Amino acid sequence: MRPKEAAQRAEALRETIRRHDHLYYVMDSPEASDAEYDSLLGELMRLEEEFPEVITPDSPTQRVGGTPLEGFGTVTHAVPMLSLGNAFGEAEMRAFDGRVRNAVADPGGYVVEPKIDGLSVTLVYENGQLARGATRGDGVVGENITQNLKTIRSIPLGLPKPGVSLLEVRGEVFMTREDFARLNAAREAAEEPLFANPRNAAAGSARQLDPGVTAARPLRAAFYEVRRIEGIPLQLHSQGLETLKTLGFPVPPHAICQGIEEILQVCAEWEADRHRVPYEIDGMVVKVDSLEVQSRLGSTSKSPRWAMAYKFAAEQAVTRLLGITIQVGRTGALTPTAELEPVRISGSTVSRAGLHNEDYIRVKDIRVGDWVIVQKAGEVIPEVVRVLQERRTGEERVFTMPGKCPVCGSDALRLEGEAVTRCAGISCPAQVREGLIHFGSRDAMDIDGLGPAMVGKLVEAGLVRDVADLYSLTPAGLAAIERLGDRSSENLVNAIQRSKDQPLSRLLFALGIRHVGKRAAEVLAQRFTSMKALSEASLEDLTSVEEVGPKIAQSVASFFRQEQTRDVLQRLEQAGVNMVEHVQRAGDLAGKTFVFTGTLSIPRSQAEALVKERGGKTGASVSRQADYVVAGEDPGSKLDKARSLGVTVLSEADFLGLVKG
Ligand code: IVH
């Protein structure tokens, strides 16, 4: 390909990728499958690698990457980022409207938007390109997190239309409840500390020194304020939102209200139905629509006089704690759960709540029979917040952690310095079950149909005792399971078979090695590239990897020392499960096709594996699609064909130089 063609192709790919990003992250209506998207991005990456001169600062490839920082730089905001005043309840909201009307006779309409619970950020676009992104900080000086914000795919890196020479927008970086739950589940599986709520998860993820970590977190953004704009005149805040939308920014849903009654009605509707959006909101924001009226009203040192946050009531309820049961997790952790007298908390019935561990119960002095306050913390698993001591009768019972696992009866032990009590049984069915569910989960081997219910049936029917057993399941074998149709059996077996091609990083995460989360699995797979190399790595080799500390290293080394591990891995390999990672490096073979002819000094299978390990493909016959023909001794007619088609011919030595290079 010539540079000019490459530049054209790259631009076309960028356009298509941007469109798909917008459809997926802003419009919530994706058109491309993940595989199609990855292949477009892969092609663009290879093209830009070959022709670095075609890279543009707003190319989707520039979202990831960048080296970790020592610390964030600071940004002094051109316009201070103010906070909002709070109104609790109807009366305070009416008072706000009254103040506005006292100051200006006819303030016009108001815009009412949900108040997204995330991290407040500001973005500056200069000459159509994202130049800077920063946190609010103290409102005057924030942190420069440009590199991290660039990894969020709903944030445009460039503006579509020329003519906006300067744009500054304010918005919120957040995580949906569903993404938050998945992230925490994966962290729990890897025994990493959990985030308390989606807001902490979003803020923590956006403020990582390594943008690679941020890129791996499911962050979203929505923009609700044009702070500065040159090139488009605006009269209304609502026009600003429409403009942001046409420039490609996600904006929050918003209603235009003509007076306080309408405002209160919209706020009440949202409060009753706050779950209608898939992210956390802690109230509504009411803003005067006219920008001219806004500037007449002005601001105090802390907050504008033209806007107010209407705060929702906390989602709490009082109920009775009927009992405490124990759940056993994949790692054998015994987790106490509160069984409650069912109670409604803003729209849903709650009958169970998390109690975390033995210490939580002791510190809060929670007893069976107590009246307790239950709260939906961040819309996730409800929590018991505190006990109503004054309602005690003396009949309440103090809880003690059982000494035996309630599922398999093995000893349950709590090691010194740890908060968790664990089942010591190696083949505890609860652990086996949870391990299988984790193995098939979306971020792990991504096996469709292998959810908790199916795993339960497979284990109960004695068909599966560990993850390797999954790969010998057949539709006929699944007939042992009641009420499972032929179609479902076949789909499940197919999904399991397809998972064999997952990269090593997913397999490592799926195996549920303690302390090895998604990120650690990726780093390890990139560094060692094969299960064999990883299994032979010494503690020193392991800790020499950036981001791998002694805890992960110890855990990985001890995992590979287990007899049981070796057995499972051997059976997985025999079943044909992929055990290598395709690593992208400079000069790698991604997208290249090799055809072999003649006899090589190494077995053909080994030569093919070398190509595959570096991301290349092998083909059986020579065509124009082949990039290289490798000619060993006594090459056949393939060599002539290669020459006649003008395909590059490599000797074995050239080939080895290339793949090992
Ligand atoms: S307007 C000067 N609109 O709430 C007014 N803020 O408690 C700028 N927030 O720091 C803010 N959703 O992070 C506005 N639709 C929305 C919002 C919103 C969430 C956050 C924002 C701000 C905090 C104030």
Side-chain angles (χ1 to χ4, degrees):
M1 205 183 269
R2 276 193 293 267
K4 193 163 159 236
E5 273 173 75
Q8 281 170 353
R9 177 71 188 142
E11 191 44 40
L13 285 166
R14 283 197 283 266
E15 266 309 307
T16 316
I17 293 168
R18 272 189 212 118
R19 197 171 67 81
H20 287 313
D21 277 344
H22 189 257
L23 283 169
Y24 188 101
Y25 291 100
V26 182
M27 311 304 293
D28 248 341
S29 60
E31 276 179 10
S33 68
D34 286 359
E36 281 167 303
Y37 182 90
D38 288 346
S39 118
L40 291 167
L41 197 63
E43 185 182 346
L44 182 60
M45 274 161 68
R46 288 193 295 278
L47 211 70
E48 291 184 343
E49 199 176 299
E50 198 175 335
F51 301 95
E53 67 276 14
V54 308
I55 302 177
T56 57
D58 61 356
S59 172
T61 57
Q62 303 304 297
R63 289 193 184 277
V64 256
T67 35
L69 303 170
E70 293 282 319
F72 296 115
T74 56
V75 168
T76 304
H77 302 302
V79 184
M81 289 178 77
L82 299 177
S83 180
L84 289 172
N86 291 325
F88 296 92
E90 191 183 310
E92 293 188 21
M93 211 54 225
R94 284 186 191 276
F96 161 69
D97 179 54
R99 283 195 300 276
V100 169
R101 280 175 202 284
N102 261 339
V104 274
D106 179 16
Y110 289 91
V111 177
V112 181
E113 304 160 7
K115 186 167 179 296
I116 306 168
D117 206 6
L119 175 72
S120 190
V121 298
T122 179
L123 305 176
V124 178
Y125 290 78
E126 286 167 356
N127 299 314
Q129 301 290 323
L130 174 58
R132 249 178 339 279
T135 62
R136 173 170 180 267
D138 63 5
V140 178
V141 178
E143 284 172 326
N144 183 340
I145 55 165
T146 314
Q147 284 210 50
N148 292 351
L149 293 175
K150 279 186 172 176
T151 69
I152 301 175
R153 289 205 266 164
S154 53
I155 292 183
L157 298 179
L159 305 178
K161 277 188 276 184
V164 183
S165 50
L166 179 79
L167 175 70
E168 180 167 356
V169 294
R170 177 170 180 176
E172 207 79 1
V173 168
F174 62 94
M175 213 176 266
T176 63
R177 282 189 288 273
E178 199 185 327
D179 283 338
F180 164 74
R182 286 214 298 139
L183 176 67
N184 253 0
R187 289 176 72 85
E188 184 168 22
E191 293 182 46
E192 289 166 331
L194 300 188
F195 288 113
N197 51 47
R199 178 169 43 80
N200 286 3
S205 301
R207 293 183 62 261
Q208 290 286 330
L209 290 172
D210 180 355
V213 176
T214 308
R217 302 272 170 82
L219 292 175
R220 316 233 167 183
F223 294 86
Y224 44 69
E225 196 195 8
V226 175
R227 285 162 54 76
R228 292 185 289 158
I229 188 163
E230 278 170 20
I232 301 179
L234 295 176
Q235 267 96 44
L236 300 173
H237 167 66
S238 53
Q239 276 174 352
L241 292 177
E242 291 310 316
T243 305
L244 288 180
K245 217 161 146 186
T246 55
L247 292 174
F249 292 90
V251 296
H254 48 280
I256 299 179
C257 297
Q258 288 314 324
I260 186 65
E261 303 308 327
E262 264 182 63
I263 293 176
L264 290 173
Q265 195 185 339
V266 170
C267 289
E269 276 168 19
W270 274 86
E271 177 152 18
D273 199 12
R274 62 197 280 188
H275 308 284
R276 74 165 109 163
V277 285
Y279 44 83
E280 286 289 294
I281 56 178
D282 59 344
M284 302 302 285
V285 184
V286 180
K287 301 172 182 173
V288 169
D289 199 9
S290 157
L291 300 181
E292 191 259 327
V293 176
Q294 284 192 3
S295 70
R296 268 201 279 155
L297 286 165
S299 307
T300 69
S301 62
K302 288 201 199 94
S303 48
R305 292 195 189 89
W306 45 264
M308 185 56 71
Y310 169 87
K311 296 296 280 268
F312 291 157
E315 301 200 279
Q316 291 190 338
V318 172
T319 189
R320 284 241 4 231
L321 181 87
L322 303 176
I324 295 179
T325 54
I326 303 286
Q327 321 295 322
V328 184
R330 178 175 64 78
T331 56
L334 270 53
T335 310
T337 302
E339 304 293 336
L340 306 166
E341 176 106 38
V343 61
R344 294 209 42 100
I345 305 183
S346 55
S348 62
T349 302
V350 172
S351 53
R352 296 182 119 189
L355 290 168
H356 310 285
N357 55 47
E358 198 177 359
D359 290 348
Y360 186 87
I361 300 175
R362 193 165 36 83
V363 171
K364 302 225 160 187
D365 188 21
I366 299 169
R367 302 182 191 177
V368 174
D370 267 336
W371 285 92
V372 291
I373 294 181
V374 182
Q375 175 171 312
K376 276 211 232 162
E379 316 291 345
V380 248
I381 308 155
E383 261 184 341
V384 172
V385 186
R386 71 181 176 89
V387 170
L388 298 178
Q389 302 270 1
E390 63 278 16
R391 290 178 81 163
R392 281 212 170 134
T393 60
E395 302 270 294
E396 298 76 14
R397 277 171 294 118
V398 174
F399 167 79
T400 43
M401 203 69 177
K404 302 268 181 217
C405 169
V407 177
C408 73
S410 305
D411 287 344
L413 308 169
R414 180 174 169 183
L415 299 183
E416 233 183 81
E418 287 204 7
V420 234
T421 306
R422 272 178 220 287
C423 160
I426 322 175
S427 50
C428 170
Q431 293 182 51
V432 169
R433 214 176 136 253
E434 296 300 319
L436 284 161
I437 295 169
H438 171 70
F439 187 81
S441 65
R442 216 160 104 188
D443 285 344
M445 296 299 266
D446 194 16
I447 303 174
D448 250 0
L450 193 69
M454 177 56 71
V455 166
K457 289 180 192 159
L458 292 172
V459 173
E460 241 166 65
L463 291 171
V464 176
R465 272 158 295 122
D466 59 34
V467 298
D469 286 341
L470 289 171
Y471 293 93
S472 38
L473 288 177
T474 57
L478 288 176
I481 295 180
E482 245 177 85
R483 283 203 300 278
L484 186 66
D486 289 352
R487 194 57 183 285
S488 313
S489 310
E490 228 161 79
N491 287 346
L492 178 62
V493 170
N494 287 341
I496 293 172
Q497 293 300 320
R498 271 199 306 278
S499 74
K500 286 178 177 175
D501 294 330
Q502 292 287 15
L504 175 64
S505 50
R506 279 179 173 264
L507 177 60
L508 280 179
F509 174 60
L511 288 170
I513 307 166
R514 285 184 72 178
H515 306 302
V516 177
K518 228 173 103 179
R519 175 77 189 157
E522 277 164 11
V523 172
L524 289 168
Q526 287 277 324
R527 167 68 174 72
F528 293 96
T529 71
S530 73
M531 187 70 88
K532 183 160 186 300
L534 179 62
S535 70
E536 288 164 359
S538 67
L539 271 182
E540 241 176 15
D541 296 337
L542 290 164
T543 41
S544 74
V545 181
E546 214 175 312
E547 293 183 54
V548 174
K551 216 163 79 176
I552 297 180
Q554 288 278 5
S555 168
V556 171
S558 101
F559 174 77
F560 284 108
R561 273 200 305 271
Q562 309 299 316
E563 182 79 40
Q564 222 180 351
T565 302
R566 283 203 290 269
D567 166 65
V568 168
L569 289 181
Q570 200 181 16
R571 283 159 51 225
L572 286 173
E573 194 163 19
Q574 274 164 3
V577 175
N578 169 55
M579 303 244 163
V580 297
E581 187 81 354
H582 295 158
V583 181
Q584 292 269 350
R585 309 182 199 132
D588 75 357
L589 307 179
K592 301 274 187 251
T593 302
F594 287 72
V595 177
F596 294 97
T597 176
T599 315
L600 302 176
S601 66
I602 53 171
R604 182 72 68 86
S605 57
Q606 199 179 327
E608 287 176 350
L610 283 170
V611 171
K612 286 190 186 143
E613 270 169 31
R614 308 209 52 184
K617 286 181 287 195
T618 56
S621 62
V622 181
S623 71
R624 274 183 217 283
Q625 262 69 57
D627 295 282
Y628 300 104
V629 168
V630 182
E633 293 226 0
D634 297 324
S637 62
K638 288 183 193 170
L639 182 59
D640 302 329
K641 185 149 182 218
R643 290 205 170 114
S644 72
L645 289 174
V647 176
T648 309
V649 177
L650 299 177
S651 67
E652 180 176 342
D654 293 339
F655 166 69
L656 291 176
L658 186 68
V659 290
K660 297 198 167 151

